Amino acid sequence: MKSPAYLWTPPATPSLPVLGNTARFPVNRIFCVGRNYHAHAIEMGRPVDKASMKPFYFTKSPTALVESGATVPYPTGTANYHYEMELVVAVGAPGFRVNEADAEMLIYGYAAGLDMTRRDLQLVARDQGRPWDLGKDFEKSAVCSAILPIGDLGVLKSGVINLQVNGETKQSADLAQLIWNIPELLADLSQFYHLEPGDIIYTGTPEGVGPVSSGDSISGHIDRVGDVLLTIGQPE
Ligand code: MN
């Protein structure tokens, strides 16, 4: 009898639908950019001076991925569960130490994402100099729409990004307000990692983050990219 390769069946590869393609986008790593809109950095009490600072990143496990349209339980361990509306850049080609001028070649496409956050746990960790994992990298915390292939969109330099909770606008900004733009992020991140097809990058949220409760419906929109929807269910 042939020996099995694994003790049990490995979990399925996390993936996202691709607009206009029956094949799905297999998600490799999830990178997230912190504090990439000035007004959000200020509302978090940590203003950014681009001249003297570098972008910073945290990661979410690929298993944290949830497709747009889902209902997720209000997560455990928090009393301050926040939305963060973000442009997601999907990487489709390998890149290491890429120049900003070449960064577009890495982009497979774009998506609309929610970096859901246990804000109370994140801020405790931040203020104690501890990792953000409990606040950021938890189950069903990386919500993402279908991926729109880049086509002739090129590098997105502007476009409305907004978010509503139960139809009320909570975030409204423009991609032109990104502190570090898409080529700058890809060039910088690729100094630290060998970027691979399947990596996705949440590029940061504008101002107006806030809490949601069970029963709330979140709807986010990015011009020319798409929409992301999430419903908050009861706690488990
Ligand atoms: Mn974020």
Side-chain angles (χ1 to χ4, degrees), residues 26-47:
V27 173
N28 187 43
R29 289 172 294 189
I30 303 176
F31 296 103
C32 303
V33 184
R35 297 173 204 149
N36 203 20
Y37 290 81
H38 284 297
H40 172 64
I42 290 166
E43 78 180 346
M44 297 305 292
R46 297 288 192 279

Side-chain angles (χ1 to χ4, degrees), residues 33 58 84 86 115 136 204-205:
V33 184
F58 57 91
E84 294 190 359
E86 311 201 2
D115 164 16
K136 287 291 194 179
T205 194

Side-chain angles (χ1 to χ4, degrees), residues 95-106 182-184 186-188 190-191:
F96 183 54
R97 295 175 179 154
V98 299
N99 301 313
E100 288 174 29
D102 298 328
E104 184 178 345
M105 293 190 289
L106 270 57
I182 294 167
E184 289 171 333
L186 289 168
D188 185 70
S190 74
Q191 306 299 310

Side-chain angles (χ1 to χ4, degrees), residues 102-146:
D102 298 328
E104 184 178 345
M105 293 190 289
L106 270 57
I107 302 173
Y108 178 80
Y110 301 105
L114 295 169
D115 164 16
M116 298 304 293
T117 300
R118 294 194 279 216
R119 188 73 71 202
D120 40 4
L121 301 189
Q122 182 211 0
L123 294 185
V124 166
R126 183 191 77 177
D127 295 343
Q128 295 183 345
R130 293 174 177 169
W132 288 10
D133 300 44
L134 283 180
K136 287 291 194 179
D137 183 10
F138 56 96
E139 293 150 5
K140 304 182 192 289
S141 68
V143 188
C144 200
S145 72

Side-chain angles (χ1 to χ4, degrees), residues 141-184:
S141 68
V143 188
C144 200
S145 72
I147 294 173
L148 173 68
I150 186 168
D152 54 11
L153 282 177
V155 172
L156 290 178
K157 296 184 173 72
S158 64
V160 167
I161 176 169
N162 62 34
L163 177 141
Q164 291 80 36
V165 178
N166 304 327
E168 182 182 337
T169 297
K170 301 288 190 181
Q171 295 188 280
S172 184
D174 195 285
L175 298 176
Q177 295 169 297
L178 284 166
I179 298 173
W180 284 280
N181 64 29
I182 294 167
E184 289 171 333

